[in-house]
Each structure stands twice: as structure tokens, then as C-alpha cells.
Amino acid sequence: GRAALAAALRELGLEPVPGVANFLCVPLPGGLTGREVAGRLQEVGVIVRPLDMFGMADGIRISVGTPAETDVAVAAIRDVLPALVG
């Protein structure tokens, strides 16, 4: 699931930080903050963790879920990011 999530995020132009845990750390583009993106995603039912408390204000943590959960999360990110950037 981790590799599939990472690949789907790369297709959106994001580059997850390499790791081996059950989540991905993802830097965000365009000066977005993790809190801003996490808040917007939560509004559409997808919960991610902002990483500002870990010194990465422009990042989010996305837990690896089932294939269906990954599809929902990636679709939400695909919809939310352009609205925030432009």
C-alpha cells in the first residue's frame, strides 16, 4: 500500500520523503502549510496530520490505508491542492 500511495502522489507532482513506516511525509508545493491542507482535507472527510510540530510546516503525514482508502485520499488531494495553490 505504501508504494501505491507514493506512486499516486508522485503522479500529482508531490514527492514523498523516503521512509519505511506505515505513513508518508509529503512536502507541499507553492508555500502551502500542512495545517492549511489538513484542514481542507478534513472538510471533505480525509484526515492527515500537519507536520509543523515536527519542524516541517509545509508538510503533511498520510497514513497508509487500504487501496480504497488510498483512492479516496488521492482524489481528495487532487481536488484540494489546485484550489489552494491557484
Side-chain angles (χ1 to χ4, degrees):
R2 187 176 204 296
L5 176 58
L9 292 171
R10 286 187 187 101
E11 287 179 15
L12 298 179
L14 300 172
E15 187 55 46
V17 175
V20 295
N22 66 340
F23 61 86
L24 295 174
C25 293
V26 184
L28 300 165
L32 295 174
T33 68
R35 287 211 175 269
E36 178 180 28
V37 172
R40 202 51 117 35
L41 287 170
Q42 187 170 354
E43 290 172 8
V44 297
V46 174
I47 298 174
V48 300
R49 176 176 282 196
L51 293 175
D52 56 333
M53 74 271 302
F54 298 103
M56 189 177 177
D58 66 340
I60 55 174
R61 171 186 158 162
I62 305 172
S63 295
V64 177
T66 65
E69 291 166 336
T70 295
D71 291 345
V72 168
V74 170
I77 292 166
R78 182 182 298 115
D79 291 343
V80 165
L81 285 185
L84 291 172
V85 173

